[in-house]
Amino acid sequence: MSGNRGEHSTQHDKLPIRMLHDRVLVRQDAGEGERRSGGGILIPATAAVGRRLAWAEVVAVGQNVRTVEPGDRVLFDPEDRAEVEVRGIAYSLMRERDLHAVAADRFEGSEDSTGLYL
């Protein structure tokens, strides 16, 4: 893998920052508040359901990040993150070890992969 991954082009091109070490910058998926049950019942964001993990898109990675790349979708605990605003857009910053899973197109069809890292 290239050592230039922190500068990978995405829809968030030309962010005025460069990630360091094992840090991962993500943008949380919209609509993480309310959700629907399997039966179609609307569950408000304030409903207590225990600790709920969230999905986000990786925007930038530090040079020591080994398992995710910009554009991947990752699963993380929203309570274990630092938030930062860059050019009016809210992002979350965390260490690679704080990610619980990664889902990426590059895993599909790979003979040596199960699809998701858990």
Coordinates of all heavy atoms in Angstrom, one line a residue, residues 6-102:
G6 N -2.8 9.2 3.2 CA -3.4 10.4 3.9 C -3.8 11.5 3.0 O -4.5 12.3 3.3
E7 N -3.3 11.5 1.7 CA -3.6 12.5 0.8 C -4.5 12.0 -0.4 O -4.6 12.6 -1.4 CB -2.3 13.1 0.2 CG -1.4 13.7 1.2 CD 0.0 14.0 0.7 OE1 0.1 14.1 -0.5 OE2 0.9 14.3 1.5
H8 N -5.1 10.8 -0.2 CA -6.0 10.2 -1.1 C -7.1 11.1 -1.5 O -7.7 11.8 -0.7 CB -6.5 8.9 -0.5 CG -7.3 8.1 -1.4 ND1 -8.7 8.3 -1.6 CD2 -7.0 7.0 -2.2 CE1 -9.1 7.4 -2.5 NE2 -8.1 6.6 -2.9
S9 N -7.5 11.2 -2.8 CA -8.6 12.0 -3.3 C -9.9 11.5 -2.9 O -10.2 10.3 -3.2 CB -8.5 12.2 -4.8 OG -7.3 12.9 -5.1
T10 N -10.8 12.3 -2.3 CA -12.2 11.9 -2.1 C -13.0 13.1 -2.3 O -12.5 14.2 -2.8 CB -12.4 11.4 -0.6 OG1 -12.2 12.6 0.2 CG2 -11.5 10.3 -0.2
Q11 N -14.3 13.1 -2.0 CA -15.1 14.2 -2.1 C -14.7 15.4 -1.2 O -15.1 16.5 -1.3 CB -16.6 13.9 -1.9 CG -16.8 13.4 -0.4 CD -18.3 13.0 -0.2 OE1 -19.1 13.0 -1.1 NE2 -18.6 12.6 1.0
H12 N -13.8 15.1 -0.2 CA -13.3 16.0 0.8 C -11.9 16.5 0.4 O -11.1 16.8 1.2 CB -13.3 15.4 2.2 CG -14.6 14.8 2.5 ND1 -15.7 15.5 2.9 CD2 -15.0 13.5 2.5 CE1 -16.7 14.7 3.1 NE2 -16.3 13.5 2.9
D13 N -11.7 16.7 -0.9 CA -10.3 17.1 -1.4 C -9.9 18.4 -0.7 O -10.7 19.3 -0.4 CB -10.4 17.3 -2.9 CG -10.2 16.0 -3.6 OD1 -9.7 15.0 -3.0 OD2 -10.4 16.0 -4.8
K14 N -8.6 18.5 -0.6 CA -7.9 19.8 -0.2 C -8.3 20.2 1.2 O -8.5 21.4 1.4 CB -8.2 20.9 -1.2 CG -7.7 20.5 -2.6 CD -7.8 21.6 -3.6 CE -7.6 21.1 -4.9 NZ -6.7 21.3 -5.8
L15 N -8.5 19.2 2.1 CA -8.7 19.6 3.5 C -7.4 20.2 4.0 O -6.3 19.8 3.6 CB -9.0 18.4 4.4 CG -10.4 17.8 4.3 CD1 -10.6 16.6 5.1 CD2 -11.4 18.9 4.7
P16 N -7.4 21.3 4.7 CA -6.2 22.0 5.1 C -5.5 21.3 6.3 O -4.8 22.0 7.1 CB -6.8 23.4 5.5 CG -8.1 23.1 6.1 CD -8.7 22.0 5.2
I17 N -5.6 20.0 6.4 CA -4.9 19.3 7.4 C -4.4 18.0 6.9 O -4.8 17.5 5.8 CB -5.9 18.9 8.6 CG1 -7.1 18.1 8.1 CG2 -6.4 20.2 9.3 CD1 -8.0 17.7 9.2
R18 N -3.4 17.4 7.6 CA -2.8 16.1 7.3 C -2.8 15.3 8.6 O -2.4 15.8 9.6 CB -1.4 16.3 6.8 CG -0.7 15.0 6.4 CD 0.6 15.2 5.7 NE 1.5 16.0 6.6 CZ 2.6 15.5 7.1 NH1 3.0 14.3 6.9 NH2 3.4 16.3 7.9
M19 N -3.4 14.1 8.5 CA -3.5 13.3 9.7 C -2.1 12.7 10.1 O -1.3 12.4 9.2 CB -4.4 12.1 9.5 CG -5.8 12.6 9.1 SD -6.6 13.8 10.1 CE -6.6 13.0 11.7
L20 N -1.9 12.6 11.4 CA -0.6 12.0 11.9 C -0.7 10.7 12.5 O -1.8 10.3 13.0 CB 0.0 13.0 12.9 CG 0.3 14.4 12.4 CD1 0.8 15.3 13.5 CD2 1.3 14.4 11.2
H21 N 0.3 9.9 12.5 CA 0.4 8.6 13.2 C -0.7 7.7 12.9 O -0.9 7.3 11.8 CB 0.6 8.9 14.7 CG 1.7 9.9 15.0 ND1 3.0 9.7 14.7 CD2 1.6 11.1 15.6 CE1 3.7 10.7 15.1 NE2 2.9 11.7 15.6
D22 N -1.4 7.2 13.9 CA -2.5 6.3 13.8 C -3.9 6.9 13.8 O -4.9 6.2 14.1 CB -2.4 5.2 14.8 CG -2.7 5.7 16.2 OD1 -2.6 6.9 16.4 OD2 -2.9 4.9 17.1
R23 N -4.0 8.2 13.5 CA -5.3 8.9 13.6 C -6.1 8.7 12.3 O -5.6 8.6 11.2 CB -5.1 10.4 13.8 CG -4.3 10.7 15.1 CD -4.9 10.0 16.3 NE -4.4 10.6 17.5 CZ -3.3 10.3 18.1 NH1 -2.5 9.5 17.6 NH2 -3.0 10.9 19.3
V24 N -7.4 8.6 12.5 CA -8.4 8.5 11.4 C -9.4 9.6 11.5 O -10.0 9.8 12.6 CB -9.1 7.1 11.5 CG1 -10.1 6.9 10.4 CG2 -8.0 5.9 11.4
L25 N -9.6 10.3 10.4 CA -10.7 11.3 10.4 C -11.8 10.8 9.6 O -11.7 10.3 8.5 CB -10.1 12.6 9.7 CG -11.0 13.8 9.7 CD1 -11.1 14.4 11.1 CD2 -10.5 14.9 8.7
V26 N -13.0 10.9 10.2 CA -14.2 10.3 9.6 C -15.3 11.3 9.6 O -15.4 12.3 10.4 CB -14.7 9.0 10.3 CG1 -13.7 8.0 10.3 CG2 -15.2 9.3 11.7
R27 N -16.3 11.2 8.6 CA -17.5 12.0 8.6 C -18.6 11.0 8.8 O -18.9 10.1 8.0 CB -17.6 12.7 7.3 CG -18.8 13.6 7.3 CD -18.8 14.6 6.2 NE -20.0 15.5 6.3 CZ -20.4 16.2 5.3 NH1 -19.7 16.2 4.1 NH2 -21.4 16.9 5.4
Q28 N -19.4 11.3 9.9 CA -20.5 10.4 10.3 C -21.6 10.4 9.3 O -21.9 11.5 8.7 CB -21.0 10.7 11.7 CG -21.9 9.6 12.2 CD -22.1 9.8 13.7 OE1 -21.4 10.6 14.4 NE2 -23.0 9.1 14.3
D29 N -22.2 9.3 9.0 CA -23.3 9.2 8.1 C -24.5 10.1 8.6 O -24.7 10.2 9.8 CB -23.8 7.7 8.0 CG -22.8 6.8 7.4 OD1 -21.9 7.3 6.8 OD2 -23.0 5.6 7.4
A30 N -25.2 10.7 7.7 CA -26.3 11.5 8.0 C -27.5 10.6 8.4 O -27.5 9.4 8.0 CB -26.8 12.3 6.8
G31 N -28.3 11.0 9.2 CA -29.5 10.2 9.6 C -29.2 9.2 10.7 O -29.9 8.2 10.8
E32 N -28.1 9.4 11.5 CA -27.8 8.4 12.5 C -28.7 8.6 13.7 O -28.6 7.8 14.6 CB -26.3 8.6 12.9 CG -25.3 8.0 12.0 CD -25.4 6.5 11.9 OE1 -25.6 5.8 13.0 OE2 -25.3 5.9 10.8
G33 N -29.5 9.6 13.7 CA -30.4 9.9 14.9 C -31.6 8.9 14.9 O -31.5 7.9 15.5
E34 N -32.6 9.2 14.2 CA -33.8 8.4 14.2 C -33.5 7.2 13.3 O -32.7 7.2 12.3 CB -35.0 9.2 13.6 CG -35.4 10.3 14.5 CD -36.6 11.0 14.0 OE1 -36.9 10.8 12.8 OE2 -37.3 11.7 14.8
R35 N -34.2 6.1 13.6 CA -34.0 4.9 12.8 C -35.3 4.1 12.9 O -36.2 4.4 13.7 CB -32.9 4.0 13.3 CG -33.0 3.6 14.7 CD -31.7 3.1 15.3 NE -31.8 2.6 16.6 CZ -31.9 3.4 17.7 NH1 -31.8 4.7 17.6 NH2 -32.0 2.9 18.9
R36 N -35.5 3.1 12.0 CA -36.7 2.3 12.0 C -36.4 0.9 12.4 O -35.3 0.3 12.1 CB -37.3 2.3 10.6 CG -37.8 3.6 10.2 CD -38.8 3.5 9.0 NE -39.4 4.8 8.7 CZ -40.5 5.3 9.2 NH1 -41.1 4.6 10.1 NH2 -40.9 6.5 8.9
S37 N -37.3 0.3 13.1 CA -37.2 -1.1 13.5 C -37.4 -2.0 12.3 O -37.9 -1.5 11.3 CB -38.1 -1.5 14.7 OG -39.5 -1.5 14.1
G38 N -37.2 -3.3 12.5 CA -37.5 -4.2 11.4 C -38.9 -4.2 11.0 O -39.3 -4.5 9.8
G39 N -39.8 -3.9 11.9 CA -41.3 -3.8 11.6 C -41.7 -2.5 11.1 O -42.9 -2.3 10.9
G40 N -40.8 -1.5 10.9 CA -41.1 -0.2 10.4 C -41.5 0.8 11.4 O -41.9 1.9 11.1
I41 N -41.3 0.5 12.7 CA -41.6 1.5 13.8 C -40.5 2.5 13.9 O -39.3 2.1 13.9 CB -41.8 0.8 15.1 CG1 -43.0 -0.2 15.0 CG2 -42.0 1.8 16.3 CD1 -43.2 -1.1 16.2
L42 N -40.8 3.8 13.9 CA -39.8 4.9 14.0 C -39.3 4.9 15.4 O -40.1 5.1 16.4 CB -40.4 6.2 13.6 CG -39.4 7.4 13.6 CD1 -38.3 7.2 12.5 CD2 -40.2 8.7 13.3
I43 N -37.9 4.8 15.6 CA -37.3 4.9 16.9 C -36.6 6.2 17.0 O -35.6 6.4 16.3 CB -36.4 3.7 17.1 CG1 -37.1 2.3 17.0 CG2 -35.7 3.7 18.5 CD1 -36.2 1.1 16.9
P44 N -36.9 7.1 18.0 CA -36.3 8.4 18.1 C -34.8 8.2 18.5 O -34.5 7.2 19.2 CB -37.1 9.1 19.1 CG -37.9 8.1 19.8 CD -38.0 6.9 18.9
A45 N -34.0 9.2 18.2 CA -32.6 9.2 18.6 C -32.4 9.2 20.1 O -31.4 8.7 20.6 CB -31.9 10.4 18.0
T46 N -33.4 9.7 20.9 CA -33.3 9.8 22.3 C -33.7 8.5 23.0 O -33.6 8.4 24.2 CB -34.2 10.9 22.9 OG1 -35.6 10.7 22.4 CG2 -33.7 12.2 22.4
A47 N -34.2 7.5 22.3 CA -34.6 6.2 22.9 C -33.3 5.5 23.4 O -32.3 5.4 22.8 CB -35.3 5.3 21.9
A48 N -33.4 5.0 24.7 CA -32.3 4.3 25.3 C -32.3 2.9 24.8 O -33.2 2.1 25.1 CB -32.5 4.4 26.8
V49 N -31.3 2.5 24.1 CA -31.1 1.1 23.6 C -29.8 0.6 24.0 O -29.3 -0.3 23.3 CB -31.4 1.1 22.1 CG1 -32.8 1.3 21.8 CG2 -30.4 2.0 21.4
G50 N -29.1 1.1 25.0 CA -27.8 0.7 25.3 C -26.8 1.5 24.5 O -27.1 2.5 23.9
R51 N -25.6 0.9 24.4 CA -24.6 1.6 23.6 C -24.7 1.3 22.1 O -24.6 0.1 21.7 CB -23.2 1.1 24.1 CG -22.1 2.0 23.9 CD -21.0 1.6 24.8 NE -19.9 2.6 24.6 CZ -18.9 2.8 25.4 NH1 -18.8 1.9 26.4 NH2 -18.1 3.7 25.2
R52 N -24.9 2.3 21.3 CA -25.2 2.1 19.9 C -24.0 2.6 19.1 O -23.5 3.7 19.2 CB -26.4 2.9 19.5 CG -26.8 2.6 18.0 CD -28.2 3.1 17.7 NE -28.5 3.0 16.3 CZ -28.9 1.9 15.8 NH1 -29.1 0.9 16.5 NH2 -29.2 1.9 14.5
L53 N -23.4 1.7 18.3 CA -22.3 2.0 17.4 C -22.8 2.8 16.2 O -24.0 2.7 15.8 CB -21.5 0.8 17.0 CG -20.9 0.0 18.1 CD1 -20.2 -1.3 17.6 CD2 -20.0 0.8 19.0
A54 N -21.9 3.5 15.5 CA -22.3 4.3 14.3 C -21.4 4.0 13.1 O -20.2 3.6 13.3 CB -22.3 5.8 14.6
W55 N -21.9 4.2 11.9 CA -21.1 4.1 10.7 C -20.6 5.5 10.3 O -21.4 6.4 10.4 CB -21.9 3.4 9.6 CG -22.1 2.0 9.8 CD1 -23.3 1.4 10.3 CD2 -21.2 0.9 9.5 NE1 -23.1 0.0 10.3 CE2 -21.9 -0.3 9.8 CE3 -19.9 0.9 9.0 CZ2 -21.2 -1.5 9.7 CZ3 -19.3 -0.4 8.9 CH2 -20.0 -1.5 9.2
A56 N -19.5 5.5 9.6 CA -18.9 6.8 9.1 C -18.0 6.5 7.9 O -17.6 5.3 7.8 CB -18.2 7.5 10.2
E57 N -17.8 7.5 7.1 CA -16.9 7.3 6.0 C -15.5 7.9 6.4 O -15.4 9.0 6.9 CB -17.4 8.1 4.8 CG -16.4 8.0 3.6 CD -16.9 9.0 2.4 OE1 -17.9 9.5 2.5 OE2 -16.1 9.1 1.5
V58 N -14.4 7.1 6.1 CA -13.1 7.6 6.3 C -12.7 8.7 5.3 O -12.9 8.5 4.1 CB -12.1 6.4 6.2 CG1 -10.6 7.0 6.4 CG2 -12.4 5.4 7.3
V59 N -12.2 9.8 5.8 CA -11.9 11.0 5.0 C -10.4 11.1 4.8 O -9.9 11.3 3.7 CB -12.5 12.3 5.6 CG1 -12.0 13.5 4.8 CG2 -14.0 12.2 5.7
A60 N -9.6 10.8 5.9 CA -8.2 10.9 5.9 C -7.6 10.0 6.9 O -8.2 9.7 7.9 CB -7.7 12.4 6.1
V61 N -6.4 9.5 6.7 CA -5.7 8.6 7.6 C -4.3 9.1 7.8 O -3.7 9.7 6.9 CB -5.7 7.1 7.1 CG1 -7.1 6.6 7.0 CG2 -5.0 7.0 5.8
G62 N -3.7 8.8 9.0 CA -2.3 9.1 9.2 C -1.4 8.0 8.6 O -1.9 7.0 8.1
Q63 N -0.1 8.3 8.6 CA 0.8 7.4 7.9 C 1.0 6.0 8.5 O 1.4 5.1 7.9 CB 2.2 8.1 7.7 CG 3.0 8.3 9.0 CD 2.7 9.6 9.7 OE1 1.7 10.2 9.5 NE2 3.6 10.0 10.6
N64 N 0.6 5.9 9.8 CA 0.7 4.6 10.5 C -0.5 3.7 10.5 O -0.6 2.7 11.1 CB 1.2 4.8 11.9 CG 2.6 5.3 12.0 OD1 3.4 5.2 11.0 ND2 3.0 6.0 13.1
V65 N -1.6 4.2 9.8 CA -2.8 3.5 9.7 C -2.7 2.4 8.7 O -2.2 2.6 7.6 CB -4.0 4.4 9.4 CG1 -5.3 3.6 9.1 CG2 -4.2 5.4 10.5
R66 N -3.0 1.1 9.1 CA -2.8 0.0 8.2 C -4.0 -0.7 7.6 O -3.9 -1.3 6.6 CB -2.0 -1.1 9.0 CG -0.6 -0.6 9.5 CD 0.2 -1.6 10.2 NE -0.7 -2.4 11.0 CZ -0.3 -3.6 11.5 NH1 0.9 -4.1 11.2 NH2 -1.1 -4.4 12.2
T67 N -5.2 -0.6 8.3 CA -6.3 -1.4 7.9 C -7.4 -0.6 7.2 O -8.3 -1.3 6.7 CB -6.9 -2.1 9.1 OG1 -7.3 -1.2 10.1 CG2 -5.9 -3.1 9.7
V68 N -7.4 0.7 7.2 CA -8.5 1.4 6.5 C -7.9 2.5 5.6 O -6.7 2.9 5.7 CB -9.4 2.1 7.5 CG1 -10.2 1.1 8.4 CG2 -8.7 3.2 8.4
E69 N -8.7 2.8 4.6 CA -8.2 3.8 3.6 C -9.4 4.8 3.4 O -10.5 4.5 3.7 CB -8.0 3.1 2.2 CG -6.9 2.1 2.2 CD -6.7 1.4 0.9 OE1 -7.5 1.8 0.0 OE2 -5.9 0.6 0.8
P70 N -9.0 6.0 2.9 CA -10.1 7.0 2.7 C -11.1 6.4 1.7 O -10.8 5.7 0.8 CB -9.3 8.2 2.0 CG -8.0 8.1 2.6 CD -7.7 6.6 2.7
G71 N -12.4 6.6 2.0 CA -13.5 6.1 1.3 C -14.1 4.8 1.9 O -15.2 4.5 1.6
D72 N -13.4 4.2 2.8 CA -13.9 3.0 3.5 C -15.0 3.5 4.5 O -15.1 4.6 4.9 CB -12.9 2.3 4.4 CG -11.9 1.5 3.6 OD1 -12.1 1.4 2.3 OD2 -10.9 1.1 4.1
R73 N -16.0 2.6 4.8 CA -17.0 2.8 5.9 C -16.5 2.0 7.1 O -16.2 0.9 7.0 CB -18.3 2.4 5.4 CG -18.9 3.3 4.3 CD -20.3 2.9 3.8 NE -21.2 2.4 4.8 CZ -21.9 3.2 5.6 NH1 -21.8 4.5 5.5 NH2 -22.8 2.7 6.4
V74 N -16.5 2.7 8.2 CA -16.1 2.1 9.5 C -17.1 2.2 10.5 O -18.0 3.1 10.6 CB -14.8 2.7 10.0 CG1 -13.6 2.4 9.0 CG2 -14.9 4.2 10.2
L75 N -17.1 1.2 11.5 CA -18.0 1.2 12.6 C -17.3 1.6 13.8 O -16.2 1.1 14.1 CB -18.5 -0.3 12.7 CG -19.6 -0.5 13.8 CD1 -20.9 0.2 13.4 CD2 -19.9 -2.0 13.9
F76 N -17.8 2.5 14.6 CA -17.1 3.0 15.8 C -18.2 3.4 16.9 O -19.3 3.5 16.6 CB -16.3 4.2 15.4 CG -17.0 5.5 15.1 CD1 -17.2 6.5 16.0 CD2 -17.6 5.6 13.8 CE1 -17.9 7.6 15.7 CE2 -18.4 6.8 13.5 CZ -18.5 7.8 14.4
D77 N -17.7 3.6 18.1 CA -18.5 4.1 19.2 C -18.5 5.6 19.2 O -17.4 6.2 19.4 CB -17.9 3.5 20.5 CG -18.8 3.8 21.7 OD1 -19.7 4.7 21.6 OD2 -18.6 3.2 22.7
P78 N -19.6 6.3 19.0 CA -19.7 7.7 19.0 C -19.3 8.4 20.3 O -18.9 9.5 20.3 CB -21.1 8.0 18.6 CG -21.7 6.8 18.1 CD -20.9 5.7 18.6
E79 N -19.3 7.6 21.4 CA -18.9 8.2 22.7 C -17.3 8.2 22.8 O -16.8 8.9 23.7 CB -19.5 7.4 23.8 CG -21.0 7.5 23.8 CD -21.7 6.7 24.9 OE1 -20.9 6.3 25.9 OE2 -22.9 6.6 24.9
D80 N -16.6 7.5 22.0 CA -15.2 7.4 22.1 C -14.5 8.2 20.9 O -13.7 7.6 20.1 CB -14.7 5.9 22.0 CG -15.1 5.2 23.2 OD1 -15.3 5.8 24.3 OD2 -15.2 3.9 23.2
R81 N -14.8 9.4 20.8 CA -14.3 10.2 19.6 C -14.1 11.6 20.0 O -14.7 12.1 21.0 CB -15.2 10.1 18.5 CG -16.5 10.9 18.8 CD -17.5 11.0 17.6 NE -18.6 11.7 18.1 CZ -19.7 11.8 17.5 NH1 -19.9 11.2 16.3 NH2 -20.8 12.4 18.0
A82 N -13.3 12.3 19.3 CA -13.1 13.8 19.4 C -13.7 14.4 18.2 O -13.6 13.9 17.1 CB -11.7 14.1 19.5
E83 N -14.4 15.5 18.3 CA -15.1 16.1 17.2 C -14.3 17.4 16.8 O -13.7 18.0 17.6 CB -16.5 16.5 17.5 CG -17.4 15.3 17.7 CD -18.9 15.7 17.9 OE1 -19.2 16.9 17.9 OE2 -19.7 14.8 18.1
V84 N -14.2 17.6 15.5 CA -13.6 18.8 15.0 C -14.3 19.3 13.8 O -15.0 18.6 13.1 CB -12.1 18.5 14.6 CG1 -12.1 17.5 13.4 CG2 -11.3 19.7 14.2
E85 N -14.3 20.7 13.6 CA -15.0 21.3 12.5 C -14.0 21.8 11.5 O -13.1 22.6 12.0 CB -16.0 22.3 12.9 CG -16.8 22.9 11.8 CD -17.9 23.9 12.3 OE1 -18.6 23.5 13.2 OE2 -17.9 25.0 11.8
V86 N -14.0 21.5 10.3 CA -13.1 22.0 9.3 C -13.9 22.5 8.1 O -14.7 21.8 7.5 CB -12.2 20.8 8.7 CG1 -11.2 21.4 7.7 CG2 -11.4 20.2 9.9
R87 N -13.7 23.8 7.9 CA -14.5 24.5 6.8 C -16.0 24.3 6.9 O -16.7 24.1 6.0 CB -14.0 24.1 5.4 CG -12.6 24.5 5.1 CD -12.2 24.1 3.7 NE -10.9 24.7 3.5 CZ -10.1 24.3 2.5 NH1 -10.6 23.4 1.6 NH2 -8.9 24.9 2.3
G88 N -16.5 24.4 8.2 CA -17.9 24.3 8.4 C -18.5 22.9 8.4 O -19.7 22.7 8.5
I89 N -17.7 21.9 8.2 CA -18.1 20.5 8.2 C -17.6 19.8 9.5 O -16.5 19.9 9.8 CB -17.7 19.8 6.9 CG1 -18.2 20.5 5.7 CG2 -18.1 18.3 7.0 CD1 -17.7 19.9 4.4
A90 N -18.5 19.1 10.2 CA -18.2 18.3 11.4 C -17.6 17.0 11.0 O -18.1 16.2 10.2 CB -19.4 18.2 12.2
Y91 N -16.4 16.7 11.6 CA -15.7 15.4 11.5 C -15.5 14.8 12.9 O -15.5 15.5 13.9 CB -14.4 15.6 10.8 CG -14.5 16.1 9.4 CD1 -14.4 17.4 9.1 CD2 -14.7 15.2 8.3 CE1 -14.5 17.9 7.8 CE2 -14.8 15.7 7.0 CZ -14.7 17.0 6.7 OH -14.8 17.5 5.4
S92 N -15.2 13.5 12.9 CA -14.8 12.9 14.1 C -13.3 12.4 14.0 O -13.0 11.9 12.9 CB -15.7 11.7 14.5 OG -17.0 12.1 14.7
L93 N -12.6 12.5 15.0 CA -11.2 12.1 15.0 C -11.0 11.0 16.0 O -11.5 11.1 17.1 CB -10.3 13.3 15.3 CG -8.8 13.0 15.5 CD1 -8.2 12.6 14.1 CD2 -8.1 14.3 16.0
M94 N -10.3 9.9 15.6 CA -10.1 8.8 16.5 C -8.8 8.1 16.1 O -8.3 8.3 15.1 CB -11.3 7.9 16.6 CG -11.6 7.2 15.3 SD -13.2 6.5 15.2 CE -14.1 8.0 15.0
R95 N -8.4 7.2 17.0 CA -7.3 6.3 16.7 C -7.8 5.1 16.0 O -8.9 4.7 16.1 CB -6.6 5.8 18.0 CG -5.9 6.9 18.7 CD -5.2 6.3 20.0 NE -4.6 7.4 20.7 CZ -3.3 7.6 20.6 NH1 -2.5 6.9 19.8 NH2 -2.7 8.6 21.3
E96 N -6.9 4.5 15.1 CA -7.3 3.3 14.4 C -7.8 2.2 15.3 O -8.8 1.5 15.0 CB -6.1 2.8 13.5 CG -6.5 1.6 12.7 CD -5.3 1.2 11.9 OE1 -4.1 1.4 12.2 OE2 -5.5 0.5 10.8
R97 N -7.2 2.0 16.4 CA -7.6 0.9 17.4 C -9.0 1.1 17.9 O -9.6 0.2 18.5 CB -6.6 0.8 18.5 CG -6.6 2.0 19.4 CD -5.6 1.8 20.5 NE -5.5 2.9 21.4 CZ -4.5 3.4 21.9 NH1 -3.3 2.9 21.7 NH2 -4.5 4.4 22.7
D98 N -9.6 2.3 17.8 CA -10.9 2.6 18.3 C -12.0 2.2 17.3 O -13.2 2.3 17.6 CB -11.1 4.0 18.7 CG -10.2 4.4 19.9 OD1 -9.9 3.5 20.7 OD2 -9.8 5.6 20.0
L99 N -11.6 1.7 16.1 CA -12.6 1.3 15.1 C -12.9 -0.2 15.4 O -12.1 -1.0 15.7 CB -12.0 1.4 13.7 CG -11.6 2.8 13.3 CD1 -10.9 2.8 11.9 CD2 -12.8 3.8 13.3
H100 N -14.2 -0.5 15.2 CA -14.7 -1.9 15.5 C -14.8 -2.7 14.2 O -14.6 -4.0 14.3 CB -16.0 -1.8 16.2 CG -16.0 -1.2 17.5 ND1 -15.5 -1.8 18.6 CD2 -16.3 0.1 17.9 CE1 -15.6 -1.0 19.7 NE2 -16.0 0.1 19.3
A101 N -15.0 -2.1 13.1 CA -15.2 -2.9 11.8 C -14.9 -2.0 10.7 O -15.1 -0.8 10.8 CB -16.6 -3.5 11.8
V102 N -14.6 -2.6 9.5 CA -14.5 -1.8 8.3 C -15.2 -2.5 7.1 O -15.1 -3.8 7.0 CB -13.0 -1.6 7.9 CG1 -12.2 -2.8 7.8 CG2 -12.9 -0.7 6.7

